Amino acid sequence: MRKICLIIASLLAPIAVGAAPNPEMIVVCYPGGAVNAKDANGAMNSMLRVVERVGQWQANSFNSVFITKPDECRKQMAEKNPKFAITSLGLYLELRNPHNLVPVVQPRIKGRTSERYRVMVQKDKYKSLDELKGKTLGGTVLEEPAFIGRIVFAGKYDPARFFVLKPSNQAIRALRALDKGELDAVILNEQQFGGLDSLHLEKPLEAVFESGEIPLMGVVANSAITTAEERARFGKALEGMCTDAEGKKLCELFGVESFVNVDPAVFEPMVKLWTEEK
């Protein structure tokens, strides 16, 4: 998300059979993603139908909007005030108080519900992150510089002041620019780092920085307008999503193996980092 980040639906109280539903809007925020919006919306449509079927809601109870820009996500969250959303970790930390957000489920990717971020450079060109001061840094995750500074760098570096930022909507494009010497460094999330070997770059790369473990963000709920029962019901439906013939389409689109129930306590260290004065 960056990881990644996906979502879905919103919980409605059971609707009488035959009643015309007012679709509940689900806001899906995927900052910096290269996923085609048309493809994502098509996959979301399939996924929502599965959520309705598995959770025994009336068909077409849910609708969704897919967003790749943080500012537009903030706007849609304010306007739609959704019961449920899929956000990045950075947006969750920023919006959790205004929208009473609580985590519902996390994605599991390659057996893990957490990830590390790495700053990659050409091998032997730089020895530490400090040597990159004033240098160019590319990557898809730079759409959220506050998240990178407070969480990934644990408040030790302000990306906007320390680097010359070169955001990209495709990690492969940034890495090829690094390979050619057009960028000094590229920051990668876990999924992107895992795909490095398949690129066959000319210059070997190495990491000059590796973050601590950072939990993957998935579906969140507005605790002020949902009940614990609704959140549990929705979470249970999602836990079987990626094994469903239709639901797995969106899971595959985002590289997610499954959704798992989350203990909100795993995010407490992230909240502390986010709110600390630096």
Side-chain angles (χ1 to χ4, degrees):
M1 55 151 8
R2 200 199 90 341
K3 266 11 324 4
I4 350 210
C5 270
L6 290 130
I7 130 167
I8 334 180
S10 158
L11 282 191
L12 299 174
I15 302 173
V17 175
N22 295 315
E24 196 72 54
M25 180 61 69
I26 290 96
V27 176
V28 185
C29 300
Y30 192 53
V35 178
N36 180 278
K38 182 179 179 181
D39 292 341
N41 282 322
M44 276 303 306
N45 184 62
S46 296
M47 192 169 186
L48 291 178
R49 303 295 77 82
V50 176
V51 169
E52 292 160 355
R53 173 167 50 79
V54 175
Q56 298 183 359
W57 291 286
Q58 185 173 356
N60 301 311
S61 292
F62 307 133
N63 202 349
S64 65
V65 56
F66 183 88
I67 304 159
T68 60
K69 296 296 182 182
D71 284 346
E72 180 62 20
C73 183
R74 295 180 185 101
K75 178 182 177 183
Q76 291 294 327
M77 289 290 287
E79 292 179 356
K80 307 297 185 185
N81 192 31
K83 287 185 175 181
F84 288 81
I86 288 178
T87 71
S88 65
L89 177 56
L91 284 168
Y92 160 72
L93 292 169
E94 177 186 338
L95 302 176
R96 65 188 181 87
N97 286 333
H99 293 279
N100 305 291
L101 299 180
V102 294
V104 177
V105 293
Q106 285 182 281
R108 176 183 282 131
I109 300 174
K110 293 186 177 180
R112 300 178 57 192
T113 57
S114 64
E115 64 177 338
R116 293 179 184 270
Y117 286 71
R118 297 168 178 85
V119 175
M120 308 300 299
V121 299
Q122 289 187 10
K123 188 174 176 60
D124 297 327
K125 192 169 183 179
Y126 300 100
K127 296 300 183 183
S128 69
L129 204 60
D130 288 332
E131 291 184 15
L132 288 170
K133 186 173 183 179
K135 304 296 185 181
T136 54
L137 176 68
T140 64
V141 299
L142 296 177
E143 285 283 353
E144 298 184 274
F147 166 74
I148 299 301
R150 297 186 193 186
I151 303 300
V152 176
F153 293 146
K156 297 176 182 177
Y157 300 89
D158 180 345
R161 295 182 179 182
F162 193 81
F163 305 100
V164 177
L165 299 183
K166 300 290 184 180
S168 171
N169 64 357
Q170 292 185 348
I172 188 170
R173 183 175 298 171
L175 286 165
R176 285 174 175 163
L178 174 61
D179 192 42
K180 295 175 183 178
E182 297 169 356
L183 288 174
D184 296 301
V186 172
I187 184 169
L188 302 177
N189 62 29
E190 194 76 42
Q191 284 180 291
Q192 294 164 347
F193 178 75
L196 270 180
D197 289 343
S198 65
L199 297 183
H200 305 295
L201 300 173
E202 292 184 11
K203 306 283 177 58
L205 304 181
E206 63 180 347
V208 292
F209 169 83
E210 182 176 307
S211 75
E213 290 287 341
I214 296 174
L216 293 170
M217 195 72 245
V219 177
V220 298
N222 185 323
S223 62
I225 56 177
T226 60
T227 65
E229 290 76 14
E230 285 178 320
R231 296 191 292 274
R233 179 185 175 192
F234 190 61
K236 186 174 179 60
L238 285 175
E239 287 175 26
M241 175 64 59
C242 296
T243 59
D244 185 276
E246 289 297 318
K248 70 179 183 181
K249 293 178 182 178
L250 185 61
C251 296
E252 291 173 352
L253 180 65
F254 288 90
V256 173
E257 293 173 358
S258 63
F259 289 101
V260 297
N261 191 36
V262 60
D263 178 358
V266 305
F267 293 99
E268 290 177 3
M270 303 298 102
V271 172
K272 183 179 180 181
L273 281 175
W274 186 263
T275 57
E276 281 180 346
E277 292 292 335
K278 301 297 180 182

